[in-house]
Structures are given as C-alpha cells and as structure tokens.
Amino acid sequence: MKGMLFVLSGPSGAGKTTVCRTLQNDYPGLKYIISATSRKPRGNEKNGHDYFFISNQEFKQKIANGYFLEWAEVHGHLYGTPKNQVIENYQQGHISIMDIDIQGAMNLKKQFPQAITAFIMPPTWEEMVKRLDKRATESQNDLQQRMENAKHELNYLKYYDYLVINSVVNQAVEQLKSIINAEKCKIKNLDLEEALPWVKKITALE
Ligand code: 5GP
C-alpha cells in the first residue's frame, strides 16, 4: 500500500484529541504526527508525546528553515507539522494521522490532494461549550476565543471529505476506522503490483 495522510480537524471541545489517541491505540500501524507548538503544556501533557513544546523564537526559526509542512496561528499560538515525520511515513507506506486546524488542513490538501480529511463535530453546540468548560484549563478569554473560532470553523465543513459526530468516543473511533479501511481498498490508493502480483502476469499474456 502507498502511504496515506489522514487529517482530522474540528472545533475545540469536539473531543478530537481523545478520539485521535484512541484511534491511534486501536488501529495498528497508524502513526500519529506530533506537532510543534509555541503554547505552554496543559495539565499532564508531555513534550514529545502530545506536542513538541518550543518557544516562539524557536518556532519562527524553524519556519525560516523550512522545517514545517504547514503551520498556522490558532487561538493566538503557533502550531506546525514537522515535514520530516510526514514524508518519512509516506515513503515507508504508513498511515499518518494528524490533528490540525482548518487552515493547516486546507494548506496540506493543496500540497497533497490525496490527503483524506475528516471533520469531527460535537453533537450539539451546548455539548461543545460544556466540554470546553469542563476542561477548565483555559482562561475565560481563551475559552471565548475558542468559541468564536468554532463558529468560524463550521464554515469550512463543506471542504472536508468526511464528517464524524462525536457523541460517544468509541462510536466515533469505529467510524474513523471504517473510513480508513474503505480508503485502503480504493484502487488509486493501492500498489496493484504488490496487492495482486499475479494480475500483471495474466494481463501480460493478453
Ligand atoms: P490545542 O491547543 O487545543 O491542543 O490545539 C488547538 C488547535 O491547534 C486544534 O484545532 C488543533 O487541531 C490545532 N493544531 C494542532 N497541531 C497543529 C498543527 O501542526 N498545525 C495546525 N495548523 N494546527 C494544529
């Protein structure tokens, strides 16, 4: 199989991180791409596991060095996808999974039209606000900004390939697995010579 880029976006409070991490543990061979960010770690987030936490200055240096495949300012902080992780996985035929915002997803899709994009939504606006509130790691200001951004982000839903509503985490994860499985069976995503070596021998005789 050729490599696959699987991009997940959605508003804060959609439960993207939980869904993404559960999927990563449940689906063998998925490679989660660890982004870099200039924001400070929250709760028990760990450097090199959740993000590479770097300073604003280091982030800007990395932009100048062409380190990122894409980067964006989200909720007042900088976030970027390290190019080498993605390219390496792709060349080795792995499925990379990325949790990036809409700007990043649109940007990536321009560079890799074959990337598969899924938008994760909470079941209702009220539920989203409740989840954000419960997280309680954001300041009131940050919370307000995330809610404003969520309204804006909804306009981009139409540019995504798939919609997954996250009412129950395991169900959302099952849906994502089905999407990946279906994408894996698409002829254009397969290396046919590898998947069906005997077909070439037969058709060569025609
Ligand atoms: P959080 O601060 O809640 O972890 O993430 C905030 C937003 O940044 C989320 O929408 C997340 O998808 C996005 N994000 C995380 N990593 C990246 C990245 O590498 N690039 C872009 N464009 N967005 C990212």
Side-chain angles (χ1 to χ4, degrees), residues 19-120:
V19 166
C20 220
R21 290 301 188 172
T22 314
L23 178 66
Q24 186 200 358
N25 292 333
D26 264 29
Y27 200 107
L30 270 195
K31 305 269 181 197
Y32 181 76
I33 303 296
I34 304 168
S35 299
T37 182
S38 66
R39 87 152 160 74
K40 299 270 171 289
R42 272 197 309 250
N44 49 15
E45 284 180 331
K46 286 191 185 63
N47 188 36
H49 176 74
D50 300 281
Y51 283 106
F52 293 108
F53 295 99
I54 59 178
S55 68
N56 230 30
Q57 196 188 0
E58 198 181 337
F59 199 103
K60 288 188 174 149
Q61 192 61 53
K62 284 188 184 300
I63 296 175
N65 293 342
Y67 177 80
F68 295 116
L69 192 57
E70 64 72 36
W71 66 273
E73 187 174 335
V74 193
H75 317 312
H77 305 288
L78 299 169
Y79 295 84
T81 308
K83 197 187 282 176
N84 57 354
Q85 283 186 52
V86 179
I87 304 290
E88 229 167 76
N89 287 347
Y90 192 76
Q91 284 171 348
Q92 290 171 5
H94 297 303
I95 305 175
S96 291
I97 178 160
M98 284 167 266
D99 169 351
I100 61 180
D101 88 312
I102 47 166
Q103 308 167 70
M106 298 298 108
N107 204 333
L108 202 102
K109 191 93 184 176
K110 267 191 219 140
Q111 300 179 62
F112 292 95
Q114 71 273 38
I116 300 136
T117 54
F119 202 85
I120 305 200

